[in-house]
Amino acid sequence: MEYKRILLKLSGEWLANREKKLSIDYDLVVKLAEQLKEIVKQKIQIAIVVGGGNLWRGASAEKNGIPRSKADYIGMIATIMNALALESIFENSCGLKAKVMCSVNIDQKIAEPFNLENANKYLENGEIVIMAGGIGRPYFTTDTAATLLASEIKAEVLLLGKNGVDGIYDSDPKINPNAVHFGEIGYDEILKRKLQVMDSTAVAMAKDNNIKLLVFNVGGENSIVNAIKKNGKFTIVKS
Ligand code: UDP
């Protein structure tokens, strides 16, 4: 295996099952846990940044009269809810060790504050660190939190799982059947073409800190294990 330490960004939307009206699809998370167990067995350290879009999105709440900062803090709380659920399902479904670390002040009975030294300690101990609360400030997203954490913990790759899309295309492949897939692309090209990979703050941060991105379809069987092994179709983003 090429990597020793990876960071997986999970969007909140991916956790949901709209057909079954579930904000968190437990069966899906159990399958995720089984994959993570395989990866941990290979002595690869895993950090996760989880989003909150299945429960709340600050920008859309603002349209309904909730001031942006407050709406964003509610979004950060949504990420904490997801992180706590993931932690329990990981531990109870297949005996993984996981730890939620939070960038928003919250009672330590619920989650401990993020601290780089402790995060490194847990990772080296084979525990999955689940980062909650984004970067802890409004007007940001968990994509930026993921690039920030990847920089801090020196993750070798940031795995960006997309729903039903196996990497980056020059246009939306769900709309344009002739969309062209990139095997590899640079950060500047993403920004120039305004490709919807992550928000532009996150892309710029990844560029400045040289964070390699691996964009893949998180939907398939064993998708994360395959992405790490570079099996199948994906896009690598680097300078
Ligand atoms: N959020 C924020 N600051 C952060 C991270 C998240 O204000 O550093 C808020 C923001 O309102 C966002 C919501 O939390 O809409 C959920 O996060 P995000 O949209 O990144 O989740 P995802 O799209 O990955 O599910």
Side-chain angles (χ1 to χ4, degrees):
M1 289 278 192
E2 185 181 335
Y3 305 118
K4 292 268 169 286
R5 182 174 283 188
I6 61 171
L7 193 145
L8 174 65
K9 163 69 209 296
L10 288 178
S11 77
E13 198 51 54
W14 180 71
L15 295 175
N17 186 324
R18 298 295 175 204
E19 269 167 36
K20 293 187 190 162
K21 294 193 167 52
L22 290 172
S23 300
I24 296 179
D25 182 338
Y26 300 98
D27 296 339
L28 184 80
V29 179
V30 169
K31 281 193 184 146
L32 166 71
E34 282 159 5
Q35 287 200 65
L36 298 183
K37 194 160 187 188
E38 276 308 300
I39 296 168
V40 169
K41 266 194 208 151
Q42 307 288 325
K43 303 259 178 275
I44 297 174
Q45 300 169 10
I46 307 171
I48 293 179
V49 170
V50 66
N54 52 328
L55 303 171
W56 189 266
R57 259 184 218 292
S60 33
E62 192 186 23
K63 291 184 201 122
N64 296 306
I66 300 174
R68 177 66 189 263
S69 291
K70 188 169 282 183
D72 280 344
Y73 280 112
I74 302 173
M76 288 177 240
I77 292 168
T79 71
I80 300 171
M81 291 165 68
N82 282 334
L84 292 170
L86 289 182
E87 179 187 49
S88 291
I89 302 171
F90 288 174
E91 293 193 332
N92 297 332
S93 69
C94 62
L96 279 166
K97 285 186 289 176
K99 191 83 77 190
V100 174
M101 301 194 94
C102 193
S103 52
V104 175
N105 283 345
I106 191 165
D107 194 300
Q108 291 216 27
K109 287 197 290 294
I110 301 172
E112 65 176 86
F114 176 75
N115 162 302
L116 182 57
E117 200 179 318
N118 287 344
N120 279 326
K121 219 160 52 195
Y122 298 140
L123 289 167
E124 278 152 22
N125 195 30
E127 292 180 63
I128 297 178
V129 169
I130 307 170
M131 183 75 197
I135 69 159
R137 302 289 299 170
Y139 292 91
F140 285 95
T141 67
T142 49
D143 285 346
T144 303
T147 46
L148 175 62
L149 184 64
S151 311
E152 284 195 273
I153 64 168
K154 301 195 187 329
E156 294 151 288
V157 67
L158 166 48
L159 295 169
L160 268 184
K162 296 284 171 191
N163 248 341
V165 185
D166 48 10
I168 305 175
Y169 287 76
D170 66 347
S171 53
D172 187 345
K174 289 179 180 163
I175 297 169
N176 176 11
N178 299 318
V180 177
H181 179 266
F182 295 101
E184 216 174 280
I185 189 169
Y187 309 102
D188 286 332
E189 198 65 16
I190 292 177
L191 292 170
K192 200 172 86 193
R193 290 173 178 253
K194 296 192 168 66
L195 300 175
Q196 301 297 306
V197 184
M198 303 193 290
D199 60 85
S200 53
T201 311
V203 177
M205 170 114 200
K207 179 190 169 194
D208 290 348
N209 294 290
N210 223 357
I211 301 296
K212 182 160 93 174
L213 310 178
L214 198 163
V215 187
F216 66 105
N217 179 6
V218 70
E221 271 303 295
N222 261 340
S223 58
I224 302 167
V225 173
N226 282 329
I228 292 174
K229 288 184 178 162
K230 305 252 180 75
N231 287 339
K233 211 169 173 186
F234 54 82
T235 301
I236 295 280
V237 184
K238 55 185 189 183
S239 43

